[in-house]
Amino acid sequence: VSLPDGPDAAPLPADLDDAFSGEPVGNSYLIYIDELFSPVHLRNETLRALVGRLDALGPKDQVAVVAFTGTRLVVLTDWTRSREDLRRLAG
């Protein structure tokens, strides 16, 4: 990847700057829940399975969870690195 250099080059965002430093970078996982068509028992089973995998997240990974109710999109949690917040969400 070649990035512009010189006085006219815009500074890199902090997260992108990390990608070129040789340091590990995090992943962003968006979990989308279709409340309209997903049976509740399957949705709950899937959320429990996801909670069981939280320990696989790296220290810089982040997760956001949104749900579609059939008429609107609901943000259940904004981007977070907190495993505790995600566990509470899955209840």
Side-chain angles (χ1 to χ4, degrees):
V1 174
S2 177
L3 296 174
D5 205 5
D8 295 331
L12 292 174
D15 290 347
L16 185 58
D17 194 36
D18 288 347
F20 295 99
S21 71
E23 293 295 316
V25 295
N27 295 297
S28 297
Y29 298 99
L30 175 65
I31 299 171
Y32 175 86
I33 301 169
D34 186 342
E35 295 278 351
L36 183 61
F37 292 109
S38 299
V40 173
H41 72 281
L42 290 178
R43 180 204 62 204
N44 291 344
E45 183 179 325
T46 300
L47 287 173
R48 283 190 297 274
L50 287 168
V51 165
R53 303 276 303 153
L54 288 176
D55 290 335
L57 292 174
K60 292 188 175 185
D61 292 345
Q62 59 182 358
V63 178
V65 183
V66 297
F68 178 65
T69 66
T71 57
R72 64 189 178 103
L73 195 62
V74 179
V75 177
L76 299 177
T77 181
D78 204 354
W79 292 107
T80 183
R81 290 185 173 102
S82 170
R83 289 168 175 82
E84 292 76 29
D85 288 349
L86 295 166
R87 282 186 181 96
R88 275 194 297 273
L89 179 66

